[in-house]
Amino acid sequence: MTLESLVRTSSILICAGSGGVGKTTTAAVLALEGARQGRKAVVVTIDPAKRLADALGLEGLTNTPSRIEGDWPGELWAVMLDTKGTFDALVRRHAGSEEQASGILDNRFYRNISGALSGTQEYMAMEKLYELHEEHDFDLVVVDTPPTRHALDFLEAPRTLTHFLDHRVFRLITAPTRGLVKAVNVAASVFLRSVSRVVGTEVLEDALAFFAAFEGMEEGFKQRAARVGELLAADETAFVLVTSPRRDAVAEARYFASKLAESSLAVRGLVINRVHPVFLPGSFEATRARATTLEGTALGTLYANLADFQEVASNEEDHLAGLTSGLSGTAVARVPYLPTDVHDLDGLAGIAGYLFGRTAEL
Amino acid sequence: MRVDPAQFFTASRVVIVAGKGGVGKTTVTAAWARAASMAGCSSLIVEVEGKSGLATAFGREPLSYEEITLHGGGGPLPEGEIRARALTPDDALLEYLRDHGMQRISKRLVSSGALDVVSTAAPGIKDILILGKVKQLEASSTADVLVLDAPAAGHAVTFLRSPRGLIDAVRVGPINTQAREVLDLLTDVARCQVVLVTLPEETPVNELVETAYSLEDEVGVALGPVVVNGVYPDLGDMTVDPATAADEAGAHLQPGEAAALAAAARFRASRTALQREQLERLADALPLPQIRLPFTFAAEVGPAEIDRLARAMIAEIEAMPSLAGERPGSLAT
């Protein structure tokens, strides 16, 4: 399997990895390759660096994909994730009536959710992916994932959010009071009174009003979340791990790979960005020893410098060995440590050269 | 006049280290505490993201809510002790409720997940619980320096903005009081400063500049020096041809070595030039002193590497232009 065939055969590619390893750029390059192959591709970015966003024509949050014109047989579209807008659309979709929708959308507690409830951004990224895949005619949806504290938040996010929306204590309070439920209700009230002592009644009332307004929509949300989960596990969906060869990034990627395996989700691609060049194979210790012997000469300095880079390269290989050995059958690509950041389509095409084997590796 | 490191490290008791993911924020946190230790100041590192990197840097198991000693201190200098602990909103809440006579509901509030509901109702509550605990640690004078390893950059602004937001959202009661007290701490330059960490690369520099202005405008917190991680140390002139250098040194090159030595030298030179460009751009955009830490060529960041970075940090502090006695800076010049 090569990354090129992965792009050709998948409907959904999810780029995952820790912060600062080039996920957004990699996602854009994968979508661009889809367009070059003649497919209709869209990339969902989370928080692109400004110049890359400009290059992709992403000015502000629109929540609808914009088309990027270029010299390729297919189509390339890009959209920047608007967490709140996506959530709003989801609420409108599941609301029983116009009144119910606006009751929720105008609630102060609801307005806080997208910014304050952890996991919401992750879930909305997956929701957006589902929407683009199911309701638009894209052949390929490539999604960047948010830089999270725990890289797998987005896998658990649908469950976390539906659990939250279905919160038992709050549900009891807002449910119609009949018979037995009423007794439980009293206990819950005592509990909530204690909560209000800490945060104040105003804040709590907003929350209760939200849960009351949400009544009846939990089921729709749950079913939708279940379908999103199924799509992530489908054969047409592939995960692409993105990492740098640094120890901490690789450790996170390994953790990620093992968690995906636990959930029976396949890592089919591995992109290693920012790899240092190998100037001379062999042991850095020998070169370092030579540098020490020749210290004070120009040649000594040259050896000291070479030893530095041999050491980095050898460490990078050591770190990566543990990762790649566990990922047999995965398409792997290495991108060298490039002199400048990528902020235009030419830059993306340059990375594509490394990802799809069109550029000799260093 | 040379800056006295001990004076530098105690300019404010609380130091919040912030930066985007992947820039080495945790390494800088560790090096900062170690440098303070070398300057004779005791420190307590507070970790809030549940990552294990910090403990690894000192060759230890991941941190917990219980405090542990990472470095004993003492010795001939003498060095300051380094302790560390993790803080989580749940633990901080339990402690807060216990201290405020609400032990009865505390377990249930945490275990039922009601904290998620409450923190959505009043965004920033989780952050204020952490910052409130930091404020309490500051007041207890438990160490000369409190180094807080803050959440990653975008989140750091949200994190530090939490007291202002809460003062508006929760107008009375203990949360309001807590938020006011935390804001007093954050905006008092004699008590607290933020140290931003970046790499000498385009995107991290842009994001750091943006974060710096947001923090100053939206939080009003004082900014300490910027720490630039991963700067290639200057090895001196490497433009000489390897064959010529070998002749001069009376040495013999192995096959392939000449090309490798030349290519590696060119690579370093071009990287160094690019880094210098970014460092200058950063200096132009932000009128803050820079502490430049060397690139780590070694396999892992362990105690030896942290010592090396801490020594480099002290050298940079001593070389700072006449900051002696001054408080952390402001962007308004």
Side-chain angles (χ1 to χ4, degrees):
Chain A
M1 172 77 83
T2 61
L3 281 175
E4 193 170 8
S5 59
L6 192 64
V7 171
R8 198 178 294 283
T9 56
S10 306
S11 317
I12 291 166
L13 292 173
I14 301 171
C15 295
S18 53
V21 295
K23 277 197 299 286
T24 308
T25 307
T26 303
V29 173
L30 293 171
L32 173 64
E33 176 65 12
R36 290 176 58 147
Q37 290 175 358
R39 308 188 78 193
K40 183 175 176 185
V42 60
V43 56
V44 184
T45 65
I46 306 288
D47 185 19
K50 199 178 170 309
R51 291 179 68 178
L52 180 62
D54 292 347
L56 295 174
L58 298 170
E59 286 169 20
L61 298 170
T62 58
N63 218 21
T64 43
S66 56
R67 185 164 177 185
I68 300 157
E69 298 299 333
D71 183 20
W72 39 72
E75 291 178 22
L76 178 62
W77 296 70
V79 60
M80 182 151 42
L81 180 71
D82 170 4
T83 303
K84 183 163 185 310
T86 307
F87 208 147
D88 289 354
L90 206 52
V91 166
R92 286 203 192 87
R93 177 191 300 272
H94 292 290
S97 65
E98 197 55 40
E99 291 73 43
Q100 186 178 22
S102 56
I104 294 168
L105 298 179
D106 295 342
N107 179 278
R108 188 159 53 169
F109 179 86
Y110 168 76
R111 292 205 303 270
N112 290 338
I113 287 184
S114 56
L117 183 63
S118 64
T120 306
Q121 193 185 34
E122 288 80 356
Y123 181 34
M124 290 310 142
M126 296 304 110
E127 164 61 31
K128 194 78 209 164
L129 172 161
Y130 182 83
E131 183 198 311
L132 290 170
H133 175 72
E134 295 286 314
E135 290 152 27
H136 297 262
D137 56 346
F138 288 108
D139 306 320
L140 175 67
V141 182
V142 186
V143 66
D144 180 14
T145 53
T148 45
R149 233 172 87 179
H150 303 292
L152 285 161
D153 278 357
F154 72 88
L155 289 178
E156 280 144 26
R159 201 177 48 233
T160 311
L161 187 74
T162 48
H163 180 75
F164 173 82
L165 294 173
D166 206 17
H167 202 284
R168 203 171 56 87
V169 173
F170 290 84
R171 201 126 290 287
L172 283 172
I173 285 294
T174 53
T177 48
R178 260 181 264 106
L180 265 181
V181 182
K182 194 165 186 174
V184 187
N185 221 335
V186 172
S189 297
V190 172
F191 171 68
L192 288 181
R193 260 206 306 280
S194 310
V195 174
S196 76
R197 275 175 58 199
V198 182
V199 297
T201 45
E202 202 180 325
V203 165
L204 202 61
E205 274 161 15
D206 284 340
L208 292 177
F210 167 77
F211 284 102
F214 203 76
E215 184 72 41
M217 279 171 56
E218 323 77 79
E219 199 49 43
F221 260 72
K222 255 192 240 173
Q223 284 171 9
R224 179 89 169 182
R227 287 200 300 274
V228 172
E230 281 164 21
L231 182 61
L232 293 187
D235 270 349
E236 59 188 320
T237 303
F239 285 82
V240 176
L241 276 186
V242 185
T243 187
S244 78
R246 283 172 31 144
R247 170 181 287 265
D248 47 352
V250 172
E252 197 141 340
R254 285 179 74 166
Y255 172 75
F256 210 107
S258 72
K259 282 290 174 183
L260 286 172
E262 271 174 33
S263 310
S264 306
L265 299 170
V267 175
R268 299 218 182 87
L270 172 65
V271 174
I272 306 159
N273 285 321
R274 310 168 67 89
V275 179
H276 274 89
V278 178
F279 295 107
L280 188 70
S283 117
F284 70 87
E285 285 100 340
T287 310
R288 186 82 72 203
R290 200 142 158 76
T292 309
T293 316
L294 289 160
E295 204 172 332
T297 68
L299 187 62
T301 307
L302 290 175
Y303 273 117
N305 177 55
L306 179 62
D308 278 351
F309 288 110
Q310 279 182 307
E311 184 169 2
V312 172
S314 118
N315 293 332
E316 289 181 351
E317 278 321 304
D318 288 351
H319 299 156
L320 290 172
L323 177 63
T324 49
S325 67
L327 294 173
S328 55
T330 302
V332 182
R334 289 167 178 243
V335 182
Y337 201 118
L338 297 167
T340 51
D341 288 359
V342 173
H343 27 61
D344 53 26
L345 290 171
D346 287 345
L348 293 180
I351 306 267
Y354 295 103
L355 251 49
F356 307 108
R358 290 189 285 265
T359 306
E361 206 180 287
L362 298 168
Chain B
M1 186 184 160
R2 276 158 63 99
V3 174
D4 171 40
Q7 203 180 348
F8 172 86
F9 284 111
T10 51
S12 69
R13 195 189 297 278
V14 177
V15 174
I16 300 170
V17 182
K20 164 191 153 90
V23 298
K25 188 168 60 69
T26 300
T27 304
V28 170
T29 302
W32 189 281
R34 186 68 184 103
S37 155
M38 287 173 177
C41 307
S42 63
S43 56
L44 173 65
I45 300 173
V46 175
E47 207 276 339
V48 297
E49 285 206 307
K51 289 201 167 167
S52 59
L54 196 106
T56 318
F58 286 95
R60 296 291 294 269
E61 294 297 304
L63 303 175
S64 71
Y65 200 70
E66 301 303 319
E67 200 174 287
I68 59 163
T69 302
L70 293 176
H71 180 83
L77 286 174
E79 291 191 337
E81 181 187 46
I82 305 174
R83 288 169 293 139
R85 63 180 297 174
L87 280 185
T88 66
D90 283 357
D91 288 324
L93 177 65
L94 280 174
E95 196 181 314
Y96 176 88
L97 293 171
R98 221 168 32 238
D99 294 351
H100 289 77
M102 284 179 275
Q103 189 152 15
R104 214 164 44 83
I105 67 154
S106 61
K107 278 274 185 302
R108 189 160 165 216
L109 192 58
V110 171
S111 68
S112 68
L115 179 57
D116 279 338
V117 176
V118 172
S119 62
T120 304
I125 275 203
K126 286 189 174 182
D127 300 330
I128 212 74
L129 285 166
I130 300 267
L131 289 166
K133 181 68 194 171
V134 170
K135 183 206 69 189
Q136 191 196 340
L137 290 168
E138 184 234 14
S140 73
S141 305
T142 178
D144 298 330
V145 190
L146 272 173
V147 195
L148 176 65
D149 188 356
H155 300 285
V157 178
T158 316
F159 178 66
L160 297 173
R161 207 169 36 201
S162 62
R164 279 200 199 280
L166 277 174
I167 288 169
D168 294 337
V170 186
R171 299 202 185 92
V172 288
I175 296 285
N176 183 280
T177 312
Q178 183 85 309
R180 283 179 192 283
E181 288 173 8
V182 167
L183 190 62
D184 285 346
L185 166 67
L186 293 181
T187 53
D188 185 344
V189 24
R191 292 166 70 196
C192 178
Q193 61 175 315
V194 171
V195 168
L196 293 170
V197 183
T198 190
L199 295 173
E201 294 172 24
E202 186 186 329
T203 305
V205 164
N206 291 346
E207 287 176 349
L208 178 122
V209 172
E210 203 176 297
T211 305
Y213 282 97
S214 302
L215 285 176
E216 178 142 303
D217 295 348
E218 297 170 34
V219 185
V221 65
L223 299 170
V226 170
V227 179
V228 187
N229 227 342
V231 178
Y232 285 129
D234 188 8
L235 291 183
D237 182 35
M238 288 191 293
T239 51
V240 57
D241 173 62
T244 315
D247 284 346
E248 279 170 11
H252 178 71
L253 295 177
Q254 302 297 315
E257 270 192 338
L261 289 167
R266 277 196 305 274
F267 184 83
R268 181 127 171 180
S270 78
R271 284 277 145 191
T272 305
L274 289 165
Q275 290 196 338
R276 195 161 297 145
E277 207 178 290
Q278 296 303 330
L279 288 166
E280 281 165 15
R281 209 164 60 81
L282 177 61
D284 288 345
L286 274 190
L288 294 172
Q290 295 177 3
I291 294 178
R292 300 172 182 185
L293 295 184
F295 185 90
T296 296
F297 290 97
E300 63 184 301
V301 177
E305 183 64 17
I306 293 298
D307 279 6
R308 195 175 76 89
L309 292 173
R311 279 194 295 273
M313 190 179 274
I314 287 181
E316 288 277 291
I317 290 164
E318 287 176 336
M320 273 184 190
S322 67
L323 251 186
E326 264 183 43
R327 294 295 183 196
S330 157
L331 296 179
T333 46

